[in-house]
Amino acid sequence: MVQPERIILQYQAMAAIIRAMLAAARAEDWDGLGVLEAECAAHVATLQRDEPQVLLSSPQSEQKAASIVQMLDDDRQIRQLASARMTHLSNEMHNASTERKLSRAYGS
């Protein structure tokens, strides 16, 4: 049987990983972000397997909720940074495409 404390530790570990993901996004370390994302997914899989068997006390539920709130806030910030990056990449791709078309039309 899985102990409730292990579930709380899983949530806290995920919160720490997502906080590291936010730091990676701020540093524009997109490869590092991907590595951390995979690590986080492993914790999610563990929770999906173990959590349904566990009954948390009220203080433990509050700890879980605090971790989730932190993760959601950090995730929102990561998404904002990633969205800005995607917009930048899209613009770069559009500019490169335009340059190729002009080069083909008018020679280099």
Side-chain angles (χ1 to χ4, degrees):
M1 171 113 180
V2 177
Q3 297 299 314
E5 295 79 17
R6 289 193 55 154
I7 299 300
I8 299 305
L9 289 174
Q10 286 289 328
Y11 276 100
Q12 291 171 342
M14 282 178 46
I17 292 167
I18 294 173
R19 178 58 50 103
M21 289 169 61
L22 177 56
R26 285 179 175 152
E28 298 185 7
D29 178 8
W30 305 110
D31 292 334
L33 178 73
V35 170
L36 290 165
E37 198 170 31
E39 190 177 331
C40 189
H43 285 279
V44 170
T46 298
L47 282 169
Q48 287 175 333
R49 182 192 68 224
D50 294 344
E51 190 173 16
Q53 307 167 33
V54 177
L55 182 61
L56 299 176
S57 68
S58 182
Q60 290 167 330
S61 291
E62 290 173 13
Q63 287 179 304
K64 173 184 167 181
S67 292
I68 291 171
V69 167
Q70 178 188 331
M71 287 187 278
L72 290 172
D73 183 55
D74 290 348
D75 182 65
R76 179 187 52 76
Q77 292 178 63
I78 292 166
R79 288 180 189 281
Q80 288 174 340
L81 293 164
S83 178
R85 177 65 177 163
M86 292 299 292
T87 299
H88 173 76
L89 290 174
S90 177
N91 290 339
E92 291 291 318
M93 289 173 55
H94 176 71
N95 291 341
S97 175
T98 301
E99 286 179 25
R100 281 193 304 276
K101 289 176 186 173
L102 288 172
S103 180
R104 277 184 280 189
Y106 298 105
S108 40

